[in-house]
Amino acid sequence: MGYFFALSSLKFPLGIHLYLNIIPVLIGLYFFSTHTKKHLKLFWPFLAMLMINLVVLLTNYEPKSTLRIIQLFAMINFSFFIAQKWSEKNSKDFALVTTILASILIVLEIIYIGPDGIKDFLGFKLPRYMGLLGESNYSAIILALNSMLLIRFKRYYLLIINLITLFLLASRTGFLVVLIFAFLNLLVSKYPRFNRIIKYFILSLSLTPVLLWMIWKFAPMSSIELIEKLSNGRFFLWIPYIDMGISNVFGIGYFKGWANYSEYLTPYKQLADSIRGYQLNEQHNIFIQVFSEFGPICYSLFIYQIYKLATIRENNNIYLFSILIGYSFLNGLSDYVLYLIIGFSLNDVDLKIEKSKILELIERKMGRRIETH
């Protein structure tokens, strides 16, 4: 199964429209029919968030965005599938195939296509390639996940190959995710109790819209200009989107942020242009993405869902926190790597539930308490 899901990364490699990223969506839609009650109990905050946004979209007749909501619904089911069915062998197979595929495709891209552009990477001008997915940053997120698995399984030769491929994508975000995971992995190995604290790190990321809004309202302009430059022009990208969320309590509609961005940018455009001279369109932050398009009420449900997941199996929180750091610079709500990570975070949970039910049945039959450790 790990070999099979590694192919889901192949959306637009080498300019070829494969769109194999539809595989998790199809599996998620199919898997829902067999695990409805458990699914609803575990993911009700996320599902409530989707339903509220769906009402907004249907009210405004937005068929394309409605299909996007169905995609998210399927991806949550895909996470539940991974939680139920995934094994350590699947992870090893996934890491192996992903490393091989990514390295072969990057070599072919270098030989036959060439770089997509030049990227400033830590002060160096590097040619940038597109990778597995056909987009460098999201390809880098896949390789960041792959690096986590290779670090976990101590497959260092494959890790070196994976990191070289990641370097050719010239993605600072991808390397940041790997570095954070490697540091936390080392820290947790020495101090296992640190696992309990990471869930609070995850929760702190949810304060992103509030902290950015407070900086805009109360920080001196000299500090704001510095933040705008250090964030590579993202601060005045984020502020209009935060205003969008504040102005639409139930959300403006998933994937409708782009279409309405210019309206909320107008009050800041002259100031932002004087600092950086151009405007981006995407939110480039999963928390800003949810806040702007789903509104404050649904955003609260989203954060509760993330925290709920983080408290179930704390040993896997370094994966969730590390990838959410990556999505703090990307729109990740529909990216299948996020739902793989959620599945990994839940892995073995349902097996424990089923075991407890079996023990309860045996206890009733035998009429005595069975001790478990």
Side-chain angles (χ1 to χ4, degrees), residues 150-183:
L150 293 171
I151 290 170
R152 175 189 172 187
F153 298 126
K154 299 180 180 180
R155 296 193 168 186
Y156 298 121
Y157 291 113
L158 289 176
L159 177 62
I160 291 170
I161 296 171
N162 194 74
L163 291 177
I164 291 172
T165 308
L166 179 57
F167 178 75
L168 291 169
L169 298 175
S171 172
R172 292 166 295 187
T173 299
F175 268 99
L176 179 63
V177 172
V178 176
L179 288 174
I180 288 174
F181 177 83
F183 172 74

Side-chain angles (χ1 to χ4, degrees), residues 277-293:
Y278 67 96
Q279 303 301 324
L280 302 171
N281 284 325
E282 280 191 359
Q283 293 93 335
H284 280 73
N285 181 296
I286 190 172
F287 300 101
I288 304 295
Q289 179 188 17
V290 176
F291 186 83
S292 62
E293 296 183 346

